[in-house]
PDB file of all heavy atoms in Angstrom:
ATOM      1  N   ALA A 464      -7.897  20.683  -1.744  1.00  0.00           N
ATOM      2  CA  ALA A 464      -7.307  20.715  -3.062  1.00  0.00           C
ATOM      3  C   ALA A 464      -5.817  20.753  -3.081  1.00  0.00           C
ATOM      4  O   ALA A 464      -5.230  21.564  -2.263  1.00  0.00           O
ATOM      5  CB  ALA A 464      -7.815  21.909  -3.922  1.00  0.00           C
ATOM      6  N   TYR A 465      -5.291  19.731  -3.705  1.00  0.00           N
ATOM      7  CA  TYR A 465      -3.797  19.710  -3.863  1.00  0.00           C
ATOM      8  C   TYR A 465      -3.404  18.816  -5.005  1.00  0.00           C
ATOM      9  O   TYR A 465      -4.249  18.163  -5.608  1.00  0.00           O
ATOM     10  CB  TYR A 465      -2.996  19.187  -2.540  1.00  0.00           C
ATOM     11  CG  TYR A 465      -3.477  17.838  -2.053  1.00  0.00           C
ATOM     12  CD1 TYR A 465      -2.576  16.781  -2.432  1.00  0.00           C
ATOM     13  CD2 TYR A 465      -4.472  17.594  -1.196  1.00  0.00           C
ATOM     14  CE1 TYR A 465      -2.932  15.439  -1.947  1.00  0.00           C
ATOM     15  CE2 TYR A 465      -4.810  16.332  -0.730  1.00  0.00           C
ATOM     16  CZ  TYR A 465      -3.974  15.314  -1.023  1.00  0.00           C
ATOM     17  OH  TYR A 465      -4.196  14.087  -0.732  1.00  0.00           O
ATOM     18  N   ASP A 466      -2.173  18.664  -5.379  1.00  0.00           N
ATOM     19  CA  ASP A 466      -1.710  17.882  -6.497  1.00  0.00           C
ATOM     20  C   ASP A 466      -1.697  16.475  -6.096  1.00  0.00           C
ATOM     21  O   ASP A 466      -0.786  16.095  -5.346  1.00  0.00           O
ATOM     22  CB  ASP A 466      -0.429  18.385  -6.919  1.00  0.00           C
ATOM     23  CG  ASP A 466       0.101  17.662  -8.278  1.00  0.00           C
ATOM     24  OD1 ASP A 466      -0.822  17.087  -9.072  1.00  0.00           O
ATOM     25  OD2 ASP A 466       1.338  17.592  -8.655  1.00  0.00           O
ATOM     26  N   CYS A 467      -2.521  15.673  -6.790  1.00  0.00           N
ATOM     27  CA  CYS A 467      -2.555  14.234  -6.575  1.00  0.00           C
ATOM     28  C   CYS A 467      -2.184  13.493  -7.909  1.00  0.00           C
ATOM     29  O   CYS A 467      -2.869  13.663  -8.893  1.00  0.00           O
ATOM     30  CB  CYS A 467      -4.028  13.808  -6.112  1.00  0.00           C
ATOM     31  SG  CYS A 467      -4.114  11.953  -6.054  1.00  0.00           S
ATOM     32  N   PRO A 468      -1.006  12.887  -7.966  1.00  0.00           N
ATOM     33  CA  PRO A 468      -0.577  12.374  -9.270  1.00  0.00           C
ATOM     34  C   PRO A 468      -1.518  11.458  -9.886  1.00  0.00           C
ATOM     35  O   PRO A 468      -2.065  10.516  -9.304  1.00  0.00           O
ATOM     36  CB  PRO A 468       0.639  11.570  -8.924  1.00  0.00           C
ATOM     37  CG  PRO A 468       1.177  12.201  -7.686  1.00  0.00           C
ATOM     38  CD  PRO A 468      -0.121  12.631  -6.841  1.00  0.00           C
ATOM     39  N   THR A 469      -1.920  11.678 -11.221  1.00  0.00           N
ATOM     40  CA  THR A 469      -2.768  11.013 -12.027  1.00  0.00           C
ATOM     41  C   THR A 469      -4.091  10.762 -11.498  1.00  0.00           C
ATOM     42  O   THR A 469      -4.896   9.933 -12.090  1.00  0.00           O
ATOM     43  CB  THR A 469      -2.169   9.569 -12.390  1.00  0.00           C
ATOM     44  OG1 THR A 469      -2.216   8.780 -11.133  1.00  0.00           O
ATOM     45  CG2 THR A 469      -0.724   9.690 -12.898  1.00  0.00           C
ATOM     46  N   SER A 470      -4.574  11.508 -10.457  1.00  0.00           N
ATOM     47  CA  SER A 470      -5.852  11.313  -9.908  1.00  0.00           C
ATOM     48  C   SER A 470      -6.477  12.513  -9.207  1.00  0.00           C
ATOM     49  O   SER A 470      -5.932  13.689  -9.440  1.00  0.00           O
ATOM     50  CB  SER A 470      -5.813  10.169  -8.939  1.00  0.00           C
ATOM     51  OG  SER A 470      -7.165   9.775  -8.507  1.00  0.00           O
ATOM     52  N   LYS A 471      -7.323  12.294  -8.254  1.00  0.00           N
ATOM     53  CA  LYS A 471      -7.929  13.414  -7.468  1.00  0.00           C
ATOM     54  C   LYS A 471      -7.439  13.509  -6.019  1.00  0.00           C
ATOM     55  O   LYS A 471      -7.194  12.375  -5.465  1.00  0.00           O
ATOM     56  CB  LYS A 471      -9.485  13.295  -7.568  1.00  0.00           C
ATOM     57  CG  LYS A 471     -10.019  13.284  -9.064  1.00  0.00           C
ATOM     58  CD  LYS A 471      -9.705  14.602  -9.685  1.00  0.00           C
ATOM     59  CE  LYS A 471     -10.225  14.532 -11.162  1.00  0.00           C
ATOM     60  NZ  LYS A 471      -9.843  15.784 -11.965  1.00  0.00           N
ATOM     61  N   PRO A 472      -7.489  14.512  -5.481  1.00  0.00           N
ATOM     62  CA  PRO A 472      -6.896  14.597  -4.079  1.00  0.00           C
ATOM     63  C   PRO A 472      -7.776  13.658  -3.030  1.00  0.00           C
ATOM     64  O   PRO A 472      -7.067  13.092  -2.126  1.00  0.00           O
ATOM     65  CB  PRO A 472      -7.241  16.153  -3.598  1.00  0.00           C
ATOM     66  CG  PRO A 472      -7.100  16.883  -4.876  1.00  0.00           C
ATOM     67  CD  PRO A 472      -7.745  15.985  -5.908  1.00  0.00           C
ATOM     68  N   LEU A 473      -8.934  13.532  -3.262  1.00  0.00           N
ATOM     69  CA  LEU A 473      -9.769  12.585  -2.437  1.00  0.00           C
ATOM     70  C   LEU A 473      -9.127  11.200  -2.499  1.00  0.00           C
ATOM     71  O   LEU A 473      -9.040  10.474  -1.433  1.00  0.00           O
ATOM     72  CB  LEU A 473     -11.164  12.630  -2.698  1.00  0.00           C
ATOM     73  CG  LEU A 473     -12.062  11.546  -1.959  1.00  0.00           C
ATOM     74  CD1 LEU A 473     -12.095  11.824  -0.517  1.00  0.00           C
ATOM     75  CD2 LEU A 473     -13.496  11.603  -2.536  1.00  0.00           C
ATOM     76  N   ASN A 474      -8.832  10.745  -3.589  1.00  0.00           N
ATOM     77  CA  ASN A 474      -8.157   9.354  -3.812  1.00  0.00           C
ATOM     78  C   ASN A 474      -6.872   9.371  -3.084  1.00  0.00           C
ATOM     79  O   ASN A 474      -6.576   8.402  -2.415  1.00  0.00           O
ATOM     80  CB  ASN A 474      -8.080   9.173  -5.338  1.00  0.00           C
ATOM     81  CG  ASN A 474      -7.673   7.738  -5.535  1.00  0.00           C
ATOM     82  OD1 ASN A 474      -7.779   6.823  -4.702  1.00  0.00           O
ATOM     83  ND2 ASN A 474      -7.079   7.418  -6.835  1.00  0.00           N
ATOM     84  N   CYS A 475      -6.030  10.360  -3.156  1.00  0.00           N
ATOM     85  CA  CYS A 475      -4.709  10.378  -2.456  1.00  0.00           C
ATOM     86  C   CYS A 475      -4.975  10.368  -1.035  1.00  0.00           C
ATOM     87  O   CYS A 475      -4.255   9.755  -0.261  1.00  0.00           O
ATOM     88  CB  CYS A 475      -3.982  11.597  -2.873  1.00  0.00           C
ATOM     89  SG  CYS A 475      -3.081  11.457  -4.348  1.00  0.00           S
ATOM     90  N   ASP A 476      -6.016  11.047  -0.551  1.00  0.00           N
ATOM     91  CA  ASP A 476      -6.260  11.149   0.931  1.00  0.00           C
ATOM     92  C   ASP A 476      -6.671   9.716   1.396  1.00  0.00           C
ATOM     93  O   ASP A 476      -6.230   9.266   2.396  1.00  0.00           O
ATOM     94  CB  ASP A 476      -7.626  12.059   1.222  1.00  0.00           C
ATOM     95  CG  ASP A 476      -7.074  13.401   1.671  1.00  0.00           C
ATOM     96  OD1 ASP A 476      -5.787  13.745   1.729  1.00  0.00           O
ATOM     97  OD2 ASP A 476      -7.943  14.198   2.098  1.00  0.00           O
ATOM     98  N   LEU A 477      -7.545   9.116   0.619  1.00  0.00           N
ATOM     99  CA  LEU A 477      -7.934   7.681   1.028  1.00  0.00           C
ATOM    100  C   LEU A 477      -6.722   6.724   1.051  1.00  0.00           C
ATOM    101  O   LEU A 477      -6.613   5.877   1.943  1.00  0.00           O
ATOM    102  CB  LEU A 477      -9.072   7.190   0.083  1.00  0.00           C
ATOM    103  CG  LEU A 477     -10.339   7.963   0.159  1.00  0.00           C
ATOM    104  CD1 LEU A 477     -11.308   7.533  -0.965  1.00  0.00           C
ATOM    105  CD2 LEU A 477     -11.012   7.837   1.521  1.00  0.00           C
ATOM    106  N   LYS A 478      -5.926   6.832   0.035  1.00  0.00           N
ATOM    107  CA  LYS A 478      -4.748   5.970  -0.094  1.00  0.00           C
ATOM    108  C   LYS A 478      -3.775   6.260   1.122  1.00  0.00           C
ATOM    109  O   LYS A 478      -3.241   5.333   1.635  1.00  0.00           O
ATOM    110  CB  LYS A 478      -3.942   6.292  -1.316  1.00  0.00           C
ATOM    111  CG  LYS A 478      -4.708   5.992  -2.573  1.00  0.00           C
ATOM    112  CD  LYS A 478      -4.736   4.581  -2.907  1.00  0.00           C
ATOM    113  CE  LYS A 478      -5.585   4.165  -4.164  1.00  0.00           C
ATOM    114  NZ  LYS A 478      -5.225   4.830  -5.412  1.00  0.00           N
ATOM    115  N   ALA A 479      -3.678   7.485   1.481  1.00  0.00           N
ATOM    116  CA  ALA A 479      -2.719   7.854   2.620  1.00  0.00           C
ATOM    117  C   ALA A 479      -3.336   7.305   4.026  1.00  0.00           C
ATOM    118  O   ALA A 479      -2.572   6.840   4.831  1.00  0.00           O
ATOM    119  CB  ALA A 479      -2.528   9.297   2.610  1.00  0.00           C
ATOM    120  N   ARG A 480      -4.597   7.519   4.212  1.00  0.00           N
ATOM    121  CA  ARG A 480      -5.210   7.123   5.324  1.00  0.00           C
ATOM    122  C   ARG A 480      -5.127   5.533   5.591  1.00  0.00           C
ATOM    123  O   ARG A 480      -4.898   4.870   6.688  1.00  0.00           O
ATOM    124  CB  ARG A 480      -6.636   7.541   5.421  1.00  0.00           C
ATOM    125  CG  ARG A 480      -6.760   9.089   5.552  1.00  0.00           C
ATOM    126  CD  ARG A 480      -8.219   9.605   5.524  1.00  0.00           C
ATOM    127  NE  ARG A 480      -8.224  11.026   5.501  1.00  0.00           N
ATOM    128  CZ  ARG A 480      -8.108  11.838   6.608  1.00  0.00           C
ATOM    129  NH1 ARG A 480      -7.917  11.248   7.806  1.00  0.00           N
ATOM    130  NH2 ARG A 480      -8.201  13.070   6.453  1.00  0.00           N
ATOM    131  N   ALA A 481      -5.369   4.841   4.471  1.00  0.00           N
ATOM    132  CA  ALA A 481      -5.255   3.392   4.358  1.00  0.00           C
ATOM    133  C   ALA A 481      -3.750   3.017   4.713  1.00  0.00           C
ATOM    134  O   ALA A 481      -3.510   1.864   5.285  1.00  0.00           O
ATOM    135  CB  ALA A 481      -5.716   2.852   3.056  1.00  0.00           C
ATOM    136  N   PHE A 482      -2.852   3.812   4.229  1.00  0.00           N
ATOM    137  CA  PHE A 482      -1.337   3.465   4.420  1.00  0.00           C
ATOM    138  C   PHE A 482      -1.095   3.543   5.915  1.00  0.00           C
ATOM    139  O   PHE A 482      -0.439   2.682   6.465  1.00  0.00           O
ATOM    140  CB  PHE A 482      -0.539   4.536   3.651  1.00  0.00           C
ATOM    141  CG  PHE A 482       0.847   4.144   3.573  1.00  0.00           C
ATOM    142  CD1 PHE A 482       1.259   3.019   2.828  1.00  0.00           C
ATOM    143  CD2 PHE A 482       1.881   4.728   4.328  1.00  0.00           C
ATOM    144  CE1 PHE A 482       2.602   2.659   2.652  1.00  0.00           C
ATOM    145  CE2 PHE A 482       3.238   4.347   4.211  1.00  0.00           C
ATOM    146  CZ  PHE A 482       3.536   3.302   3.405  1.00  0.00           C
ATOM    147  N   TRP A 483      -1.597   4.593   6.637  1.00  0.00           N
ATOM    148  CA  TRP A 483      -1.469   4.491   8.166  1.00  0.00           C
ATOM    149  C   TRP A 483      -2.119   3.398   8.862  1.00  0.00           C
ATOM    150  O   TRP A 483      -1.681   2.800   9.725  1.00  0.00           O
ATOM    151  CB  TRP A 483      -1.981   5.886   8.646  1.00  0.00           C
ATOM    152  CG  TRP A 483      -0.913   6.990   8.607  1.00  0.00           C
ATOM    153  CD1 TRP A 483      -0.817   7.923   7.628  1.00  0.00           C
ATOM    154  CD2 TRP A 483       0.222   7.223   9.512  1.00  0.00           C
ATOM    155  NE1 TRP A 483       0.317   8.813   7.852  1.00  0.00           N
ATOM    156  CE2 TRP A 483       0.917   8.301   8.990  1.00  0.00           C
ATOM    157  CE3 TRP A 483       0.691   6.544  10.556  1.00  0.00           C
ATOM    158  CZ2 TRP A 483       2.126   8.826   9.632  1.00  0.00           C
ATOM    159  CZ3 TRP A 483       1.883   6.960  11.277  1.00  0.00           C
ATOM    160  CH2 TRP A 483       2.520   8.131  10.797  1.00  0.00           C
ATOM    161  N   TRP A 484      -3.331   2.998   8.275  1.00  0.00           N
ATOM    162  CA  TRP A 484      -3.975   1.893   8.860  1.00  0.00           C
ATOM    163  C   TRP A 484      -3.162   0.569   8.713  1.00  0.00           C
ATOM    164  O   TRP A 484      -3.047  -0.109   9.612  1.00  0.00           O
ATOM    165  CB  TRP A 484      -5.343   1.733   8.172  1.00  0.00           C
ATOM    166  CG  TRP A 484      -6.307   0.737   8.786  1.00  0.00           C
ATOM    167  CD1 TRP A 484      -6.169  -0.677   8.818  1.00  0.00           C
ATOM    168  CD2 TRP A 484      -7.664   1.072   9.412  1.00  0.00           C
ATOM    169  NE1 TRP A 484      -7.303  -1.093   9.494  1.00  0.00           N
ATOM    170  CE2 TRP A 484      -8.088  -0.187   9.865  1.00  0.00           C
ATOM    171  CE3 TRP A 484      -8.226   2.253   9.735  1.00  0.00           C
ATOM    172  CZ2 TRP A 484      -9.344  -0.223  10.597  1.00  0.00           C
ATOM    173  CZ3 TRP A 484      -9.386   2.190  10.434  1.00  0.00           C
ATOM    174  CH2 TRP A 484     -10.012   0.990  10.817  1.00  0.00           C
TER     175      TRP A 484
END
Side-chain angles (χ1 to χ4, degrees):
Y465 62 93
D466 184 23
C467 174
T469 72
S470 193
K471 302 298 178 180
L473 176 59
N474 190 18
C475 279
D476 261 5
L477 296 173
K478 299 277 176 60
R480 294 178 185 280
F482 195 71
W483 275 99
W484 191 290

